[in-house]
């Protein structure tokens, strides 16, 4: 809550981040009777924080594990629990719910739920709603590994897949039975991200596009244990990737860092500038866009020693000979199998920000350069925020205020989307 000029600290804050495909969506969450039900509470919380309106439907089995009150407290809406309750929140509750849903998620989904969904046996509130809705259905199963592997369950999964139901997991891991195997509910954060992937691909303005993003500082080996690098955290590249994913693009990050991989995004790990160049050229051959957010070292040691370099007695210093690295952005062809590759570069500067950025735009065959002053203390390296200017090849210039890197990603992609149409 933020205080306004009148001192009112109750001003309503619209939850969620602009650009998040869950923001403003109506999600119906079906919860069925599994020990993993407690995780549905977190799924609900994350959906609400993302700005979705969430209606929760619980089966009797689910209410053995979690209470409707937990969901009511998070969603501020009455959960649906009894399809025969005449005093329930709606008249024909399942029909009304089904009509309002943009998407329906069942998490956790038991083996019995999959069976009822596959055969259309609408005898609980969750399957009843799933059968009544035209909204896409995503299902996150949770059960013991032997149950998941059972031919009857797998036959139901195949039937549902054929019918267009999308499965989120299950994953391998520790199960309530103490066994380790496939059957564990996907973690709530990932389930919510999978919904974003789905919604982005279903309606995002970059659906069907392939975007390659470079991220992190390259590492140029001196010997097997030492390297030359820089302060880049890779966060800017990953935030762009997440924003592009949320708009429906197929996204590849060519990355030097080990940040958590956003759901639906492919990562190609690399270390040096040369490795990055090889990977970028390969990935861009079939891509629409390259966004080069990586901080690529301009030079590398002329040769990396095979063995760890040792200090030699009496030697007060040492010199490392450096040779120039390939320019990843500049050397990537602007033609791909998709037609023209739109190239976007970054310019990390400590002085003459705009002049230097414009020079790079021309040199690298880029349509846009995102310039940031890396001396700023509230933005840039390692931070979640950034303050950038976006310059384009027609002389346009936008100075953006301090914003999250995810929002910067969307600002770049707004302009990329226009160039692609
Ligand atoms: N870049 C690249 N390959 C390099 C160096 C940089 O692809 N060998 C890319 C960066 O990812 C960024 C842009 O080029 O998108 C600008 O990087 P920067 O280091 O700021 O500029 P340089 O072109 O290297 O020029 P200088 O070092 O002289 O500032």
């Amino acid at each position: 809550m933020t205080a306004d000029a009148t001192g009112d600290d109750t001003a309503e804050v619209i939850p969620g981040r602009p650009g998040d495909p869950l923001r403003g969506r109506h999600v119906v969450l079906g919860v069925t009777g599994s020990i993993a039900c407690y995780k549905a509470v977190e799924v609900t919380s994350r959906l609400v924080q993302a700005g979705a309106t969430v209606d929760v439907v619980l089966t009797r089995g689910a209410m053995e594990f979690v209470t409707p009150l937990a969901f009511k407290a998070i969603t501020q809406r009455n959960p649906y629990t009894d399809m025969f309750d005449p005093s329930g929140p709606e008249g024909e509750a399942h029909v009304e719910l089904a009509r309002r849903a943009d998407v329906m998620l069942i998490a956790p989904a038991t083996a019995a739920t999959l069976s009822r969904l596959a055969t259309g046996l609408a005898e609980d509130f969750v399957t009843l709603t799933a059968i009544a809705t035209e909204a896409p259905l995503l299902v996150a199963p949770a059960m013991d590994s032997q149950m998941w592997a059972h031919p009857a369950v797998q036959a139901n999964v195949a039937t549902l897949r054929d019918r267009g139901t999308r499965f989120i997991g299950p994953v391998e891991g520790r199960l309530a039975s103490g066994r380790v195997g496939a059957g564990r509910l996907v973690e709530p954060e990932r389930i919510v991200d999978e919904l974003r992937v789905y919604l982005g691909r279903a309606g995002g303005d970059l659906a069907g596009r392939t975007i390659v993003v470079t991220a992190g500082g390259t590492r140029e080996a001196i010997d097997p244990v030492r390297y030359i690098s820089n302060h880049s955290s890779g966060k800017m590249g990953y935030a762009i990737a997440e924003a592009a994913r949320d708009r429906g693009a197929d996204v590849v990050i060519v990355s030097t860092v080990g940040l958590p991989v956003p759901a639906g995004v492919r990562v190609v790990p690399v270390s040096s500038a040369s490795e990055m160049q090889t990977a970028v050229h390969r990935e861009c051959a079939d891509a629409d866009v390259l966004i080069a957010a990586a901080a690529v070292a301009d030079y590398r040691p002329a040769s990396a020693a095979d063995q760890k370099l040792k200090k030699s007695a009496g030697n007060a210093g040492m010199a490392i000979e450096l040779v120039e690295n390939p320019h990843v952005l500049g050397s990537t062809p602007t033609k791909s199998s998709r037609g023209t590759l739109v190239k976007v570069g970054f310019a990390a500067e400590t002085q003459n920000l705009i002049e230097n950025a414009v020079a790079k735009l021309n040199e690298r065959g880029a349509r846009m350069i995102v310039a940031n002053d890396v001396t700023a203390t509230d933005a840039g390296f390692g931070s979640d925020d950034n303050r950038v200017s976006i310059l384009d090849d027609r002389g346009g210039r936008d100075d953006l205020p301090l914003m999250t890197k995810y929002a910067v990603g969307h600002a770049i992609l707004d302009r990329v989307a226009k160039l692609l149409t």
Side-chain angles (χ1 to χ4, degrees):
M1 301 287 168
T2 49
D4 64 16
T6 63
D8 177 5
D9 63 356
T10 60
E12 198 175 333
V13 177
I14 301 171
R17 306 186 287 185
D20 187 330
L22 283 164
R23 204 172 190 227
R25 296 302 182 100
H26 194 131
V27 180
V28 171
L29 173 64
V31 184
T32 69
S34 151
I35 179 62
C37 274
Y38 73 94
K39 292 187 182 172
V41 179
E42 192 183 338
V43 170
T44 308
S45 167
R46 287 182 177 274
L47 290 171
V48 169
Q49 284 175 48
T53 301
V54 187
D55 272 313
V56 179
V57 186
L58 296 143
T59 61
R60 295 224 163 107
M63 287 187 286
E64 297 288 333
F65 294 98
V66 279
T67 67
L69 186 60
F71 295 99
K72 182 172 180 180
I74 295 169
T75 62
Q76 308 287 313
R77 300 164 76 84
N78 280 322
Y80 294 77
T81 54
D82 181 357
M83 55 190 191
F84 301 116
D85 178 7
S87 65
E90 311 278 349
E92 281 264 83
H94 63 285
V95 176
E96 185 51 31
L97 255 187
R99 196 183 55 73
R100 283 205 304 252
D102 290 316
V103 61
M104 180 162 180
L105 167 70
I106 304 180
T110 60
T113 304
L114 299 184
S115 171
R116 287 198 285 270
L117 286 172
T119 55
L121 187 63
E123 64 173 18
D124 64 62
F125 215 146
V126 170
T127 40
L128 182 66
T129 311
I131 282 163
T133 190
E134 285 177 7
L137 177 64
L138 288 91
V139 169
M143 64 196 76
D144 201 49
S145 53
Q146 289 199 327
M147 293 170 72
W148 176 249
H150 194 282
V153 174
Q154 286 305 312
N156 290 331
V157 170
T159 303
L160 290 168
R161 278 212 173 104
D162 275 356
R163 220 181 270 156
T165 303
R166 298 176 70 91
F167 279 78
I168 304 173
V171 287
E172 300 241 345
R174 201 185 149 70
L175 304 165
S177 62
R179 245 192 277 269
V180 174
R184 191 179 156 87
L185 185 73
V186 171
E187 287 309 311
E189 185 179 4
R190 197 83 187 175
I191 290 178
V192 172
D193 252 3
E194 291 291 348
L195 272 187
R196 292 190 172 102
V197 173
Y198 177 81
L199 290 170
R201 289 193 179 146
D205 62 352
L206 295 175
R209 301 294 189 174
T210 298
I211 299 190
V212 179
V213 182
T214 66
T218 60
R219 294 174 170 192
E220 311 298 334
I222 297 170
D223 66 20
V225 293
R226 304 181 180 97
Y227 56 82
I228 298 173
S229 191
N230 56 64
H231 292 295
S232 173
S233 65
K235 283 185 177 178
M236 188 64 242
Y238 277 65
I240 297 168
E242 208 183 330
R245 184 277 314 270
D246 285 350
R247 299 168 81 128
D250 288 326
V251 186
V252 183
I253 314 180
V254 179
S255 170
T256 64
V257 292
L259 291 175
V261 181
V265 168
R266 183 159 63 89
V267 169
V268 179
V270 295
S271 185
S272 66
S274 300
E275 283 174 29
M276 183 173 277
Q277 185 190 37
T278 305
V280 166
H281 285 194
R282 186 182 63 237
E283 297 296 337
C284 283
D286 297 313
D288 299 285
V289 182
L290 166 63
I291 303 180
V296 185
D298 291 325
Y299 296 94
R300 67 175 184 278
S303 62
D306 290 339
Q307 305 297 331
K308 184 181 170 200
L309 296 174
K310 305 298 278 180
K311 291 195 291 290
S312 36
N315 201 347
M318 79 178 287
I320 299 173
E321 191 197 340
L322 299 176
V323 294
E324 201 173 344
N325 262 332
H327 203 281
V328 179
L329 177 67
S331 66
T332 305
T334 47
K335 289 270 164 257
S336 77
S337 66
R338 304 291 191 97
T340 306
L341 180 82
V342 172
K343 297 202 290 184
V344 179
F346 269 70
E349 302 292 348
T350 54
Q351 56 185 346
N352 303 329
L353 180 66
I354 302 301
E355 295 79 345
N356 287 340
V358 170
K360 282 176 192 172
L361 185 74
N362 298 329
E363 263 170 54
R364 312 300 180 206
R367 302 292 308 272
M368 262 185 273
I369 289 282
V370 183
N372 61 333
D373 178 354
V374 290
T375 58
T377 51
D378 56 354
F381 286 140
S383 161
D384 289 329
D385 298 321
N386 211 349
R387 186 186 295 108
V388 302
S389 298
I390 301 182
L391 304 136
D392 66 37
D393 59 349
R394 306 225 166 131
R397 169 180 168 179
D398 281 330
D399 297 325
L400 304 181
L402 184 68
M403 53 174 80
T404 63
K405 288 183 171 173
Y406 178 77
V408 170
H410 276 294
I412 297 165
L413 294 167
D414 286 343
R415 290 156 179 83
V416 165
K418 279 199 190 121
L419 290 173
L420 289 171
T421 46

